[in-house]
Amino acid sequence: MQSLLRTRLGDVLVAAGVLTEKQLDWALEQQKVSYKRLGEILLESGLVAEEDIVEARALQMEMPCVDLVDVKVPDYVVRLVPEGIARTYAVVPVYATEDRLALATADPMDVEAIDAVQRVSKRRVEPLLASRSQIESLIDRLYGVAAADDITTSIEQASEEIAVEAGHQDLSTDISEERRRSEEAPVIKAVNLVIQEAIKRRASDIHFEPRADRMEVRYRIDGVLQHVRDLPKNLQGAVISRIKVMADLDIAEKRVPQDGRISVKLNNKSVDLRISTLPVQYGERVVVRILDKSGIVLSLEKLGFSKEDLEAFKYLIERPYGIILVTGPTGSGKTTTLYSALDSIRSPEINIMTVEDPIEYELDGVNQSAVNVKTGLTFPVQLRAILRQDPDVIFVGEIRDRETATIAFQAAMTGHLVFSTLHCNDAASAITRLTDMGVEPFLIGSSIIGVLAQRLVRTLCPRCKEAYEAGADELALLRLSTDETEVKLYKSVGCGHCGGTGFVGRTAVVELMRVNDEIRRLTLQMPTADQIRESAVRAGMKTLRESAVEKVLAGITTLDEARRKVFFEED
């Protein structure tokens, strides 16, 4: 009998009924492109749960695995492994004897991690397989993390102190009093814990929204706003002032919008916070944009492209000149895609320069510059200056007007590779959008080599998603025959791992239009977006809708989620 150690992970999962042969074949094709481990691909695509991978690997390696959800670890065992080592290597102690230590790890072959733990604990390590998410959760539980109860306690304490000091009177017009309140320990702690909680829950934004009788706090997680808690009304001024002080904004100015920035470190992670204030009916509204530098995925292979689209996009970004546009609404991942493209092609032989508003993430080896309207450094001014800096590749954060577009297109015509973003609904609409801006048709046709349109859809939680048989209405939306035998779709359920939402993370749905000779000729004739789209589809372009359907049928997302982001019309 063949040894389990020599059995492929995919075969073990198929034998267990967790994965189908078709899904395994798809994952193996992805592996040829990305060179990642099969387990990573299966998890990122949502085809299997993390526990399934752990159990399959345990069978392969003939070693025990452990479920850490309800495990209790004695304090003396926790003290054997410092928090820094636990977080650095993603390991956690479970139990110990005088000379042995059971250590939960997602990678029992990580010799460096095991050696480090053996040195500090002075015990022989016995590795136990566990899921990375459970390990990280247990680390937080054992070594400490901001809890909802801590936030509630701090909010209540701050509210009570302010109520007592103010004698139940409104002192919000006294600026010195507001500044003093904002520096009180309970207020500082409450704001810090709210930010920490948002980062822990993978939020991209925190909304502090004043209401008539309270201040509402909402997090945007995986692109969807979620109500988190309400703050007492008497705490509103102190909280807003505290955030303004952190961002070095003017707490006395409440009549006009303000923007600021904060850099913080949390659990050895660098996080940038972008602050935006806006006067509204019941006070000032504040939005905190969270830019987790350690969380950004700068890899084209991890964005959700199909094999064909990935190969085509890589071909375009390796061209010596021309302009490549990425389109989509705000929050559709355009900048992340282009950062990933720059990261893919950067090298010591290439001079890559950017003009952004603002610089969202720092890229090593890339010369980045920011727009500053107050000093006159607009997109056109910066772009003209960059062209005198001997660039090979130029990234323009966004094409907003005719002047910027014209300079960018002329740069593409004179031997530069130019990347930029554009706000429009699909790839074909980029041509008509540029024409509406006033860009000359011959510049558009001569310069554009490709347009990528994209959306981000939430991926189903692999732990709690449930399969069901598609109904007639769903088959119609998917453009599948009602004679199809058992088309399996998945729905979101909700569990502790996904915070009850049924989704964890997002993936890209894309359509890539390569500009061929026919589209170039059409451009000169002032075509409609429909005419351009029809030409691109004839040339083999997969539409946003088709890309979304693939992800629905693969069990990566739900039909409702796909329809929320991409238009699905019935035939």
Side-chain angles (χ1 to χ4, degrees):
M1 178 181 253
Q2 186 182 26
S3 169
L4 283 170
L5 285 168
R6 297 173 58 189
T7 304
R8 296 187 308 172
L9 176 65
D11 293 334
V12 176
L13 292 168
V14 170
V18 175
L19 202 65
T20 66
E21 290 284 359
K22 185 177 179 180
Q23 290 170 329
L24 176 59
D25 291 341
W26 174 85
L28 291 172
E29 286 297 318
Q30 294 295 311
Q31 190 178 30
K32 293 176 184 177
V33 177
S34 64
Y35 302 103
K36 292 186 293 187
R37 293 180 177 179
L38 181 65
E40 289 181 65
I41 294 170
L42 293 172
L43 285 174
E44 289 170 3
S45 64
L47 291 174
V48 299
E50 200 173 9
E51 288 77 7
D52 296 326
I53 297 288
V54 172
E55 291 175 6
R57 291 185 65 205
L59 284 172
Q60 279 187 305
M61 304 177 77
E62 296 182 345
M63 67 180 303
C65 63
V66 60
D67 186 345
L68 301 176
V69 172
D70 297 316
V71 72
K72 290 179 172 56
V73 183
D75 289 341
Y76 81 91
V77 176
V78 176
R79 289 193 292 270
L80 292 174
V81 181
E83 180 182 358
I85 288 179
R87 293 193 184 277
T88 298
Y89 296 106
V91 296
V92 65
V94 180
Y95 58 86
T97 63
E98 289 186 1
D99 59 346
R100 295 177 183 272
L101 174 66
L103 188 74
T105 173
D107 185 6
M109 306 305 291
D110 188 345
V111 178
E112 183 181 344
I114 291 174
D115 285 347
V117 173
Q118 287 184 156
R119 281 197 303 272
V120 298
S121 68
K122 296 180 173 54
R123 285 166 171 78
R124 181 178 176 182
V125 166
E126 295 180 349
L128 303 173
L129 263 174
S131 71
R132 180 172 290 272
S133 62
Q134 286 191 3
I135 290 172
E136 292 174 349
S137 178
L138 184 56
I139 289 173
D140 288 339
R141 184 148 50 92
L142 297 179
Y143 295 97
V145 72
D149 290 344
D150 295 333
I151 299 174
T152 302
T153 301
S154 297
I155 289 170
E156 289 174 351
Q157 184 180 354
S159 179
E160 288 171 5
E161 289 189 11
I162 288 175
V164 170
E165 291 174 5
H168 303 284
Q169 295 179 3
D170 183 15
L171 298 178
S172 59
T173 56
D174 188 335
I175 301 304
S176 61
E177 179 68 15
E178 279 200 9
R179 180 176 289 277
R180 189 187 67 77
R181 287 181 184 178
S182 72
E183 294 173 352
E184 291 180 346
V187 174
I188 292 173
K189 184 177 181 181
V191 172
N192 289 347
L193 289 177
V194 167
I195 293 172
Q196 288 178 30
E197 181 192 48
I199 294 171
K200 176 66 180 174
R201 292 176 61 176
R202 301 177 297 103
S204 60
D205 302 86
I206 310 171
H207 291 228
F208 294 89
E209 303 175 337
R211 309 297 185 206
D213 58 348
R214 69 192 192 284
M215 171 174 268
E216 183 179 5
V217 180
R218 296 195 288 173
Y219 296 161
R220 186 177 294 280
I221 302 174
D222 293 334
V224 177
L225 276 172
Q226 300 178 16
H227 171 83
V228 179
R229 61 176 46 82
D230 290 324
L231 304 183
K233 188 66 176 179
N234 69 338
L235 204 56
Q236 177 177 311
V239 168
I240 298 301
S241 295
R242 174 58 192 163
I243 297 171
K244 284 185 170 182
V245 168
M246 292 171 67
D248 198 24
L249 300 179
D250 185 357
I251 67 170
E253 182 56 79
K254 302 179 180 180
R255 299 165 299 174
V256 297
Q258 296 187 68
D259 295 300
R261 181 170 179 167
I262 308 168
S263 293
V264 299
K265 272 208 165 186
L266 180 66
N267 295 335
N268 295 320
K269 294 196 301 184
S270 294
V271 180
D272 278 352
L273 306 177
R274 301 282 168 75
I275 313 300
S276 173
T277 72
L278 178 71
V280 292
Q281 183 179 8
Y282 296 112
E284 283 184 283
R285 188 179 192 276
V286 176
V287 173
V288 180
R289 167 63 57 88
I290 300 171
L291 300 172
D292 185 351
K293 295 179 180 179
S294 65
I296 185 173
V297 178
L298 291 183
S299 171
L300 292 173
E301 287 80 10
K302 293 183 179 181
L303 297 181
F305 285 31
S306 68
K307 179 183 177 182
E308 296 79 9
D309 285 336
L310 180 61
E311 290 177 352
F313 190 63
K314 282 186 171 181
Y315 170 78
L316 290 177
I317 66 176
E318 290 169 0
R319 296 274 292 274
Y321 57 86
I323 189 163
I324 299 170
L325 298 174
V326 178
T327 75
T330 301
S332 58
K334 300 186 297 294
T335 302
T336 299
T337 296
L338 287 178
Y339 274 174
S340 299
L342 293 179
D343 185 69
S344 177
I345 65 173
R346 63 177 173 165
S347 76
E349 293 80 27
I350 299 177
N351 178 21
I352 302 176
M353 304 197 69
T354 78
V355 50
E356 307 171 57
D357 183 23
I359 297 172
E360 292 196 10
Y361 297 98
E362 296 178 6
L363 296 175
D364 186 40
V366 176
N367 304 287
Q368 297 172 266
S369 61
V371 166
N372 188 337
V373 177
K374 292 180 180 178
T375 61
L377 290 177
T378 60
F379 271 115
V381 171
Q382 288 276 66
L383 193 48
R384 286 193 182 94
I386 283 175
L387 288 171
R388 296 191 289 270
Q389 293 285 313
D390 187 31
D392 297 298
V393 178
I394 302 170
F395 169 39
V396 183
E398 182 184 348
I399 292 179
R400 299 176 179 173
D401 52 59
R402 177 183 178 180
E403 188 177 8
T404 304
T406 300
I407 300 170
F409 277 76
Q410 288 174 342
M413 287 186 65
T414 55
H416 302 90
L417 182 62
V418 180
F419 297 107
S420 191
T421 68
L422 191 67
H423 282 280
C424 57
N425 290 327
D426 56 24
S429 297
I431 305 293
T432 54
R433 176 83 177 92
L434 290 166
T435 303
D436 292 341
M437 275 187 188
V439 182
E440 295 293 340
F442 79 90
L443 275 179
I444 299 173
S446 303
S447 305
I448 293 185
I449 58 176
V451 182
L452 179 77
Q454 70 178 60
R455 302 287 187 278
L456 293 178
V457 296
R458 292 180 294 171
T459 54
L460 280 162
C461 174
R463 295 191 183 184
C464 64
K465 67 179 183 180
E466 287 185 1
Y468 68 96
E469 189 175 340
D473 291 343
E474 291 166 317
L475 291 172
L477 285 168
L478 295 168
R479 293 181 179 170
L480 297 175
S481 169
T482 54
D483 295 331
E484 295 275 352
T485 57
E486 288 192 20
V487 174
K488 185 183 291 186
L489 302 181
Y490 290 83
K491 62 182 178 181
S492 60
V493 177
C495 64
H497 175 64
C498 59
T501 65
F503 298 92
V504 177
R506 291 185 289 175
T507 189
V509 171
V510 305
E511 68 177 16
L512 178 60
M513 182 178 78
R514 296 173 64 175
V515 178
N516 55 24
D517 290 340
E518 182 180 343
I519 294 176
R520 289 191 182 91
R521 286 193 296 271
L522 272 175
T523 302
L524 299 175
Q525 302 167 17
M526 304 291 286
T528 64
D530 287 341
Q531 290 173 314
I532 297 169
R533 187 180 304 106
E534 289 169 5
S535 176
V537 169
R538 283 196 301 270
M541 182 183 78
K542 184 192 301 175
T543 65
L544 281 169
R545 186 189 187 286
E546 291 169 337
S547 179
V549 168
E550 283 187 357
K551 293 218 167 19
V552 171
L553 294 177
I556 296 171
T557 192
T558 67
L559 179 56
D560 286 342
E561 174 67 11
R563 292 179 68 192
R564 191 173 69 87
K565 291 293 186 178
V566 180
F567 177 67
F568 273 59
E569 76 284 0
E570 294 190 47
D571 290 334

